[in-house]
Each structure stands twice: as structure tokens, then as C-alpha cells.
Amino acid sequence: MDGLPLLVDQHSHGAVHGELGLGGFEAHLAAAAGAAGPAPPGTTFFDSRTGLALRRWCPPLLGLDPHCSPVRYLARRRELGAYRAGQLLLRGAGIGTFLLETGEPSGLTSAAELAGAADGRAHEVVRLEPLAEQVADTSGSADSFTAYLAEALYAAALSATAFACGVPFCDGSPPGLAEVRKAAGQWLRTRRPGGRLDDPVLARHLLWSALAAGLPVQLHCPDPLRLSRFLRATAGLGADLVLLPDPWHHREAAQLAGAFPHVYADVGARPEETLREAPFGKLLFSSGARGPAELYVVAARSFTQAMNRLMNDWVADGWCRWADARRIASLVAAGTARRVYRLDAEAAV
């Protein structure tokens, strides 16, 4: 099946600056594979599904044959220079719009830098926890913290496309003001400079406060089923929620997206599974890329290949016509993200 639009990548962290040697590249591949340690003796993280996909899709974008050796590939990368290689990879990935999560210190490209390198559009997704931690650095009391946090959320909402938050669990109601003040005072007294937000009451307050801004909120949720009460309680508040689950929980996320009108879910690496669990307009593509520009290429090409294969199978089996297949694939690839994140409205401003 041909004719997919340029993808909207609803979640990533940016591309790395500068040159990457074999060791640095291996470290990024290990992180992408979720590995906690080095590759087994005599092997490399190029010996992984991500590594094979990289060697399949990325070398031709740099003028090499598919499946060339890692050493030859990295040598070509150095010949071109990090910036030019990144340009070629990002512009060849098939992604037209990026939603970039910001806030964490990363050393990666900003939204503006990514847009320039990719010759596309990039929009900022503000991570809530670092925002609260910045407020805490300048707050001397619980009252000032809560007041400054409200101001910071309002200011961020003026330019952000969405918020993002890590939520292993969230109750079905916001904490009361007295509870928030008590938790804030305790956190400020015991927090070291630069300390992370780890208080569950403040995390709940932060998330419920963000909902009031009306922007979509991305929820990093290891097990999305633990958010069922929260999802039920937030129906009708006017803010869309997008579930970004751990890799083995995409089906549950899709089921929740199907159950709640304001909930959407990342389609994951196996669209043949998630498209069975939710209406097609409730699922969105993301790369989740962090680091080498190659990870954008791998995610985008893998998604496109999987969707093409699935739609071809559905047409061959008589489930739908070609026009239906193209419309379904276009929704997941870009259309739903443009609606949920109001990207067409922003582009028209």
C-alpha cells in the first residue's frame, strides 16, 4: 500500500549533538533496546532488531548499501560530519512533524534545532516534573511553591503543544489544598538542591493542575490499567489524555483508549495487535527516539512497513477496500495526532 502522509511523531526526546564513535553508538543502541549492561562477549548491540533495522534503512540515506558493516557505516557518518549526517537521516525518515518532550537536561536537540535539521515542524511538549522542580528551586515556603507552580503552568501552556507526566498510579480525585501544602512543606524541607519530585501527593496535584490548562497530557504509564480510576474521573473535563505505556502494555493502553472518549494511546511496534483493541482514530504513532538520528529512521520505517503489511493483509482478506486501508493508515500515521494536538490550527496562525 502506498500513499502514507508524512508522519507526525507524537513523542520523542531529540537527536544527539556531535560525533559518535562505536562505543557511544553502542551505548545508545543499548538504551534503545532496554539493556542494563554491555552486549554479551563477542557480540554487539548492532546484533539486535534495532541494529538490523538501522543497517537496513539508514546506510542508503548516507550513500551506502543496505546492511553494510557497522564500522563502514560509522566511518561514513564521520566523513559527512555529525550535522550533515543527522540532516540526511532526519529528512529521509518520513517524519514531517515532531512533538518533542522538553524539560529534562539531555544534551539533545531542542525543538527548533530538530525542526531545522529535519526541514520539518517541531512542537514542544513540556514535562511536568522538571517544571515543578524548577519552581521548587525558587520557593521558600509551601504557599509560594503552590502559587509559583500555578503561574509556571499557565506560562508553559501559552507556548506548549502538550504536557507530559510520569504516572505509575494516580487516584480518581485531586488532593485537597491542605494536603498539598503539607506535602509541599515536607518536600521543600527535606529536598536537596536539584532534587527530583518524588512525592505522590504533589505528583497528583501537578497532574490535576495541568488538566485545567486544557492541553493534551501525555501519560508515561508502565501499566496503564492502574490509571483506570483516574481516566474515568477525568472524562468530561475537556483535556485529552494520551497513554505512553511500557512496550509490553500497548494492548491494555489501546483497550483503555477504546473505553474512554478522551483517551488515546500510542500504537506501539505491533499495530496488528493494538488496532484490534481500539477504534482506529484513537491510536497514534511515535518514535520515542532519544539520541542518534538513526532511531527516528528505524521507528518510522518500521511503523510504515508494519502498517503497509497489515493493511495489505486486511484488503486481501476482504476486511476493507484500498480506500479504507489508506484512510485508516493515515489516521494512525498523522491525522489523529493533528486533531488531538491541534497542529493544523497552530500551523494556520
Side-chain angles (χ1 to χ4, degrees):
M1 182 188 70
D2 299 319
L4 268 183
L6 286 174
L7 304 178
V8 174
D9 181 358
Q10 66 146 348
H11 168 64
S12 75
H13 299 271
V16 69
H17 290 288
E19 300 288 353
L20 286 172
L22 181 59
F25 215 97
E26 283 274 320
H28 283 290
L29 287 180
T43 69
T44 166
F45 281 109
F46 279 94
D47 296 328
S48 66
R49 186 172 180 82
T50 299
L52 289 178
L54 188 156
R55 293 176 60 202
R56 165 65 183 90
W57 297 114
C58 296
L61 297 177
L62 303 188
L64 299 172
D65 292 331
H67 302 296
C68 69
S69 70
V71 171
R72 177 69 186 100
Y73 178 78
L74 293 177
R76 175 59 175 164
R77 215 177 183 275
R78 289 192 296 273
E79 290 171 9
L80 291 167
Y83 184 75
R84 180 56 179 159
Q87 276 189 325
L88 293 171
L89 291 162
L90 290 169
R91 296 181 183 189
I95 301 172
T97 303
F98 303 80
L99 272 66
L100 195 68
E101 184 175 303
T102 63
E104 300 281 2
S106 63
L108 302 177
T109 50
S110 66
E113 289 169 334
L114 186 65
D119 193 23
R121 293 182 177 273
H123 303 269
E124 185 179 13
V125 177
V126 174
R127 182 79 182 219
L128 292 173
E129 295 94 321
L131 184 67
E133 290 154 10
Q134 292 170 14
V135 170
D137 288 338
T138 59
S139 299
S141 67
D143 286 340
S144 64
F145 172 77
T146 55
Y148 294 161
L149 181 60
E151 293 174 2
L153 284 168
Y154 175 79
L158 295 177
S159 59
T161 295
F163 288 120
C165 188
V167 279
F169 172 77
C170 189
D171 203 352
S173 61
L177 182 57
E179 188 180 6
V180 172
R181 284 175 174 167
K182 180 179 178 181
Q186 175 68 19
W187 184 51
L188 292 174
R189 285 192 300 271
T190 59
R191 176 179 180 263
R192 296 180 178 179
R196 307 300 298 271
L197 178 64
D198 56 3
D199 185 277
V201 172
L202 294 181
R204 282 170 55 208
H205 171 68
L206 184 63
L207 182 53
W208 279 94
S209 298
L211 293 177
L215 294 179
V217 180
Q218 298 179 348
L219 304 176
H220 294 270
C221 45
D223 180 359
L225 293 178
R226 298 191 67 197
L227 297 180
S228 297
R229 292 177 61 189
F230 173 73
L231 301 180
R232 186 175 296 108
T234 53
L237 294 183
D240 289 326
L241 304 176
V242 183
L243 303 177
L244 300 173
D246 279 358
W248 48 89
H249 285 298
H250 281 283
R251 289 186 65 181
E252 292 94 331
Q255 290 167 357
L256 291 169
F260 297 102
H262 67 306
V263 177
Y264 296 80
D266 189 87
V267 71
R270 298 179 63 82
E272 67 274 16
E273 293 184 351
T274 51
L275 265 69
R276 294 173 182 166
E277 305 292 347
F280 310 131
K282 301 300 290 292
L283 301 171
L284 307 87
F285 162 76
S286 78
S287 71
R290 180 197 298 269
E294 284 84 352
L295 297 180
Y296 285 98
V297 177
V298 167
R301 296 294 180 89
S302 297
F303 165 77
T304 300
Q305 188 178 62
M307 283 298 296
N308 282 340
R309 186 183 301 116
L310 180 61
M311 294 297 102
N312 285 332
D313 288 346
W314 282 11
V315 171
D317 291 342
W319 282 94
C320 62
R321 301 170 299 173
W322 283 116
D324 298 319
R326 292 189 183 94
R327 181 173 54 81
I328 292 166
S330 294
L331 280 174
V332 182
T336 299
R338 292 197 171 280
R339 174 172 55 82
V340 171
Y341 297 108
R342 307 161 196 169
L343 300 182
D344 291 330
E346 288 186 11
V349 174

